[in-house]
Amino acid sequence: MSPRPIQRVLYLQKAEVLDHQKALVTSTLMAALPEAELLFADCVEAVPLHAAIDIVITPTLPWLPEALKRLASYHWLHFLSAGVEKIWAMDFDKSAVMMTKSSGVHGAPMSEYVIGAMLYFTKQFGRFHDQAKQAQWQRSWLGELTGSQVTVLGLGHIGQCLAKRAKAFGMEVVGTQRTPREIPCVDRVVALHDIGPELACTDFLVVCLPLTDATQGLVNDQLLAQLRPGAVLIDISRGGVVQSEALLRALDAGTLKGAALDVFEQQPLPADSPLWQRDDLLITPHVSGTTPFYLERALSVFIENLRAYQQGKPFITAVSVDAGY
């Protein structure tokens, strides 16, 4: 069956963002779909009432369900984010529409963040920064990434991008996949339930799993207790995969030497959270995926899916209702 012609595309975005994005969105989409009509809406009321739309391109906006209800029909939702956990609580029929996401858009910035975090702890940048503010000259021997093992929970786009960068530092790279297979720059790929022996050899544990029912609270006391003492945890997943109380216990026990945390169970992180008081934590406000090239890359992912659709091939980054991501 040949794909249906694409006549109308609706782009949704927050009002304060849309003005900055409109020129790039227009030039990119019109080059890819020169015959299509491109519509924009920055709030529910701006969505054309009873319009028949072929593709809706959108972030996971809180007002997305209300926007979709105004339409007479829509057939394909492309999300500008790689993570789509917010949509499962939204009131629209996920099984009646094609859905794709912008997987891969975070690969470069988030893998760079992880490399930076590993260097931060290995080269003791935090301690030297504090010493410099007090004009203290206290030298010490520093470690190396070379020969260290990084264990990546979740070898998706981000994990595989990280593997390439870690190999440039001479690291041993291990990771998990639901169905293990050989991956370039990864020394060993195992199923998540078989990760125990690798944890005992891990110097850096990187968490970049999606948040699903299966991964909620996955990094708990039992998992952390299997780590080599003195390991460092780096969390760039979604808030809720790592249990913060278990993390604190692992730090106090010496199982973890430190941790870099970019996501939290409650965001923003409350001012009274005990995490703020730790000298062994690097806390960042969910910025590991930010990049000046975000929209450009997200639209490129959409166009990859568009070309696949036009050729009658499966989507490159389909959202799976069954898997939850």
Side-chain angles (χ1 to χ4, degrees), residues 24-285:
L24 177 59
V25 171
T26 300
S27 62
T28 303
L29 295 184
M30 289 299 90
L33 292 164
E35 304 300 322
E37 179 185 5
L38 178 58
L39 306 173
F40 292 91
D42 59 8
C43 62
V44 172
E45 293 73 22
V47 175
L49 191 61
H50 305 314
I53 300 294
D54 297 295
I55 306 172
V56 179
I57 301 176
T58 179
T60 53
L61 297 163
W63 45 271
L64 177 60
E66 286 70 29
L68 296 177
K69 288 175 184 176
R70 288 177 63 89
L71 300 175
S73 61
Y74 57 95
H75 302 282
W76 174 3
L77 291 176
H78 178 76
F79 296 103
L80 292 171
S81 59
V84 294
E85 66 277 356
K86 293 180 181 178
I87 71 170
W88 307 118
M90 292 183 180
D91 183 20
F92 68 91
D93 189 352
K94 287 82 175 175
S95 62
V97 61
M98 301 184 298
M99 296 190 295
T100 52
K101 56 188 176 181
S102 297
S103 300
V105 70
H106 295 302
M110 295 183 78
S111 58
E112 288 180 5
Y113 175 97
V114 173
I115 294 294
M118 292 193 294
L119 289 170
Y120 174 89
F121 285 100
T122 302
K123 302 304 182 182
Q124 301 181 37
F125 288 144
R127 183 170 71 85
F128 290 131
H129 177 266
D130 293 341
Q131 283 183 194
K133 289 192 293 185
Q134 301 174 43
Q136 293 181 355
W137 183 274
Q138 295 180 5
R139 301 181 71 229
S140 62
W141 288 89
L142 303 179
E144 292 185 3
L145 295 187
T146 306
S148 298
Q149 177 169 318
V150 56
T151 300
V152 186
L153 301 185
L155 282 171
H157 291 278
I158 298 166
Q160 292 181 42
C161 197
L162 170 59
K164 296 175 184 177
R165 285 160 168 76
K167 272 300 171 188
F169 283 85
M171 302 185 74
E172 184 87 355
V173 181
V174 178
T176 68
Q177 274 198 328
R178 294 172 67 186
T179 305
R181 60 180 175 82
E182 287 191 12
I183 295 176
C185 299
V186 181
D187 295 288
R188 293 180 299 283
V189 182
V190 299
L192 189 58
H193 57 77
D194 293 327
I195 196 62
E198 296 294 350
L199 293 176
C201 305
T202 293
D203 298 290
F204 299 94
L205 178 65
V206 181
V207 187
C208 48
L209 292 163
L211 180 62
T212 66
D213 290 342
T215 64
Q216 179 83 39
L218 176 75
V219 181
N220 55 19
D221 290 294
Q222 290 73 26
L223 187 145
L224 293 173
Q226 299 176 71
L227 284 168
R228 170 189 286 172
V232 170
L233 181 143
I234 302 169
D235 186 12
I236 55 169
S237 57
R238 282 291 192 268
V241 177
V242 175
Q243 293 184 7
S244 58
E245 292 184 359
L247 169 74
L248 288 170
R249 286 190 287 268
L251 289 166
D252 289 338
T255 305
L256 287 176
K257 176 176 65 178
L261 307 176
D262 189 53
V263 293
F264 305 89
E265 292 153 303
Q266 183 179 347
Q267 294 186 178
L269 185 63
D272 61 353
S273 169
L275 297 176
W276 289 115
Q277 312 304 319
R278 306 286 307 210
D279 293 331
D280 44 12
L281 292 181
L282 173 61
I283 292 176
T284 55

